[in-house]
Amino acid sequence: MRSDLMKKGFERAPHRSLFKAMGYTDEELARPLVGVVNSANEIIPGHIHLDLITQAAKAGVRMAGGTPVEFPVIGVCDGIAMGHEGMKFSLASRELIADSIEIMAMAHPFDALVFIPNCDKIIPGMLMAALRLNIPSIFISGGPMLAGKLQGKAVDLISVFEGVGAVKVKKMTAARLKELEDCACPGCGSCSGMYTANSMNCVTEAIGLGLPGNGTIPAIQAARHRLAKQAGMKIMDLLKRNIRPRDIATLAAFKNAIAVDMALGCSTNTVLHIPAIAHEAGIKLDLDLFNKISEKTPNICKLSPAGLHHIEDLDMAGGIQAVMKVISALGVIDEKAMTVTGKNVGSNLKNAKVLDNDVIRPLKNPYSQQGGIAILRGNFAPDGAVVKQSAVAPAMQVNDGKARVFDSEDDAIKAILGGKIKGGDIVVIRYEGPKGGPGMREMLLPTSAIVGMGLDKTVALLTDGRFSGGTQGAAIGHISPEAAEGGPIALVKEGDIISIDIPAKKLNLKVSAQELAKRKKDLKPFKPRITKGYLARYAKLVTSSSTGAIFKD
């Protein structure tokens, strides 16, 4: 066993003595030692209950003959960090999470790992660590929050963000917004729509590193605790059979995950995280693969913010396994791919079925023939840009508009809430990329303000930053190369005409090549906004969003 390095033989008597100082017995030390990575804290609603999930997972490990050893990891709440300097640290925390787990698992050679994440950067950070370490691993998320209810209508966190814009234009009273604030997030769990956290928990299940139900069973249900116990027991089977993360997370598994991503209409942040996770497995995923799979995979679910359903509805409709069963008929799911059940995908799907055709539509009646996400290219985004096309109104799918240019999210928010953005404008927010931000802030405040003010059918927003999974409307992010690296987004001027053609996957600036060359020559070198601390180091190491914003090798 790997843990013998720290516990076996007379030479390790001092090590065993330290274990005994913590109450471990000889019987416990004789068993496999399973690291349990607990991301519980008191700042993220999706993590406030993870101590309970962790206890269940540890019970499962013990029932199957192992000894669980728990250790913590940090986490940022994107919603609470939104709209201020704190959001610069969110994406940047992903690398710290992966690195800190690597440190713990290498300094203390566990035989296997159970990962317990639930929210935005914690999930991909843990997945990156699992594939980097490549020792037997399993994921059990904390599960989604239930939707709130206001006068019989389902509401969620995005309802509150959009309410801010609605109050600004007097479409909603402050008293009504307070009612929303009090009921939109009714309890623990990852926020209830198909936002980044739930997207990544569903992707984890689709890749095969989480048990069926990992992505959708609500946080408050006993079934979630039972699943955690099953995960704890299953890790012992994976250890016995020496099934490791890279045996599961193959190229076929990542293609399966992208197909599910397209069918569900997941967060655009998956386009950052899936390539970064694959990189740790030594697999290069080109952005164009997303379009290729999207062309074959219809969008059969519309969950908030794109539709009225929430994750609890998807769970009751059959969950991720039912979605995979439907789209497997198109040949976009490799059923031979191994999963943490110890069986392949095909075996897992045998008993899967759709229980609600309104939530998971049949192939003959999809929302669209293409998937939920599109990669756009053109002279405005030579290395690519990302849009959640399933959440864009038909009128905005093809659109030419006048550029309104802002060099920070803060300036753009002031202009939007100040009534300075009009129908037909294309808001450009630059110098918010991985290097320029630094940290690639999510733009939920400006996008939700645009929606709340009723401008989402006439105003588009483009950025080298990124968007929350809760964003809807013509919001195009991850524009690469970013402004800080001298990309075309740095050259756009107020009043330039920008052409968006989502069906054709095009994003162009209607300015001549000669003029762009002149602007490029006159462009002043970018001056880093932060010169000390972790973000300064992050900005020096981080690569483009088109490569998943990973660190330079």
Side-chain angles (χ1 to χ4, degrees):
M1 290 190 293
R2 189 170 179 266
S3 62
D4 286 348
L5 291 169
M6 61 180 170
K7 68 180 187 182
K8 192 172 183 179
F10 76 91
E11 303 94 337
R12 296 294 181 258
H15 304 64
R16 292 192 296 272
S17 183
L18 289 169
F19 272 105
K20 289 176 179 178
M22 296 178 280
Y24 291 93
T25 64
D26 286 327
E27 290 78 11
E28 287 175 301
L29 294 178
R31 297 174 178 179
L33 298 187
V34 178
V36 180
V37 192
N38 180 8
S39 56
N41 60 44
E42 296 182 351
I43 193 66
I44 308 176
H47 291 237
I48 192 70
H49 65 305
L50 290 191
D51 280 340
L52 296 175
I53 301 297
T54 300
Q55 290 304 318
K58 288 161 68 175
V61 170
R62 292 191 185 99
M63 284 190 285
T67 297
V69 182
E70 180 184 339
F71 63 89
V73 74
I74 65 167
V76 170
C77 179
D78 279 24
I80 294 174
M82 195 73 64
H84 56 84
E85 287 295 291
M87 180 46 75
K88 294 179 183 289
F89 288 86
S90 174
L91 180 61
S93 74
R94 187 187 72 180
E95 316 308 312
L96 280 179
I97 289 164
D99 290 350
S100 66
I101 294 168
E102 178 191 7
I103 287 169
M104 290 297 289
M106 293 304 293
H108 317 101
F110 299 112
D111 298 301
L113 294 168
V114 177
F115 291 88
I116 305 174
N118 212 31
C119 288
D120 296 47
K121 307 311 157 306
I122 298 94
I123 306 160
M126 286 189 175
L127 286 164
M128 290 165 69
L131 287 165
R132 186 185 302 172
L133 292 162
N134 200 36
I135 63 175
S137 299
I138 196 168
F139 282 70
I140 170 62
S141 77
M145 184 187 295
L146 296 179
K149 292 288 189 295
L150 182 60
Q151 295 182 344
K153 180 184 177 183
V155 293
D156 54 35
L157 178 66
I158 304 309
S159 308
V160 189
F161 271 103
E162 292 175 358
V164 173
V167 168
K168 192 69 180 178
V169 295
K170 296 183 168 47
K171 287 186 175 183
M172 180 184 290
T173 65
R176 178 71 169 187
L177 180 60
K178 177 63 164 59
E179 289 179 19
L180 261 178
E181 173 189 329
D182 289 344
C183 70
C185 299
C188 66
S190 47
C191 296
S192 58
M194 190 50 77
Y195 316 138
T196 305
N198 288 323
S199 295
M200 289 308 302
N201 280 330
C202 291
V203 161
T204 301
E205 181 178 337
I207 288 174
L209 288 169
L211 292 171
N214 179 74
T216 60
I217 297 173
I220 64 166
Q221 289 188 1
R224 174 61 58 179
H225 293 261
R226 294 197 298 271
L227 192 70
K229 290 179 181 178
Q230 290 163 8
M233 290 186 281
K234 184 55 68 175
I235 190 61
M236 299 306 297
D237 179 56
L238 294 172
L239 173 59
K240 182 179 179 180
R241 297 170 61 184
N242 197 28
I243 297 175
R244 303 182 180 218
R246 292 188 197 175
D247 299 325
I248 294 169
T250 61
L251 178 59
F254 282 109
K255 288 180 177 179
N256 285 350
I258 295 171
V260 170
D261 188 344
M262 296 303 165
L264 293 173
C266 289
S267 163
T268 52
N269 282 315
T270 58
V271 182
L272 271 180
H273 300 318
I274 292 175
I277 296 160
H279 175 77
E280 296 289 351
I283 298 169
K284 179 176 173 56
L285 292 184
D286 188 270
L287 284 187
D288 291 333
L289 181 62
F290 286 83
N291 277 347
K292 289 176 182 176
I293 294 175
S294 178
E295 289 169 3
K296 301 175 184 177
T297 312
N299 179 211
I300 58 174
C301 297
K302 272 193 184 289
L303 295 103
S304 178
L308 299 177
H309 299 129
H310 291 80
I311 303 297
E312 64 202 77
D313 302 311
L314 178 59
D315 185 62
M316 290 187 287
I320 300 308
Q321 301 301 302
V323 172
M324 294 179 78
K325 183 72 171 281
V326 172
I327 62 176
S328 65
L330 298 171
V332 296
I333 296 295
D334 187 331
E335 296 191 10
K336 294 180 181 178
M338 178 58 70
T339 74
V340 289
T341 64
K343 302 175 182 178
N344 63 26
V345 170
S347 297
N348 293 343
L349 297 183
K350 278 184 180 177
N351 297 319
K353 58 183 177 180
V354 176
L355 302 176
D356 188 335
N357 284 315
D358 288 334
V359 179
I360 304 174
R361 287 193 173 186
L363 294 177
K364 64 182 180 182
N365 184 35
Y367 287 101
S368 63
Q369 290 297 333
Q370 292 194 347
I373 291 174
I375 308 299
L376 312 184
R377 293 186 188 270
N379 72 347
F380 198 80
D383 292 343
V386 184
V387 63
K388 191 175 192 176
Q389 61 182 348
S390 59
V392 180
M396 295 297 288
Q397 293 278 336
V398 178
N399 175 46
D400 284 11
K402 182 176 65 175
R404 302 296 311 280
V405 184
F406 303 92
D407 286 346
S408 73
E409 179 190 9
D410 309 272
D411 290 344
I413 291 171
K414 289 177 185 177
I416 293 165
L417 294 178
K420 296 180 180 179
I421 302 301
K422 308 298 182 185
D425 287 346
I426 294 181
V427 177
V428 176
I429 304 177
R430 61 190 179 189
Y431 295 103
E432 290 286 4
K435 186 180 296 291
M440 204 178 182
R441 286 194 285 185
E442 285 187 345
M443 304 286 172
L444 184 55
L445 277 179
T447 57
S448 58
I450 286 170
V451 173
M453 296 169 75
L455 295 171
D456 54 306
K457 304 294 190 297
T458 59
V459 171
L461 193 153
L462 277 58
T463 182
D464 53 6
R466 61 194 178 93
F467 296 111
S468 161
T471 290
Q472 60 176 309
I476 300 171
H478 307 197
I479 291 173
S480 301
E482 63 173 291
E485 293 188 326
I489 191 172
L491 309 179
V492 63
K493 292 185 176 181
E494 189 84 5
D496 285 347
I497 301 299
I498 297 171
S499 177
I500 300 168
D501 190 337
I502 294 173
K505 310 294 189 290
K506 297 294 184 184
L507 182 62
N508 285 298
L509 180 62
K510 289 190 170 181
V511 174
S512 70
Q514 292 85 355
E515 173 61 18
L516 289 177
K518 180 180 180 299
R519 293 181 188 181
K520 178 82 171 177
K521 186 178 179 180
D522 295 339
L523 186 66
K524 295 179 181 178
F526 172 71
K527 291 185 178 180
R529 289 169 167 165
I530 295 177
T531 57
K532 293 181 180 179
Y534 175 60
L535 282 182
R537 299 196 302 275
Y538 178 85
K540 291 178 181 178
L541 291 171
V542 72
T543 62
S544 167
S545 58
S546 63
T547 57
I550 58 175
F551 278 175
K552 296 172 184 174
D553 288 329

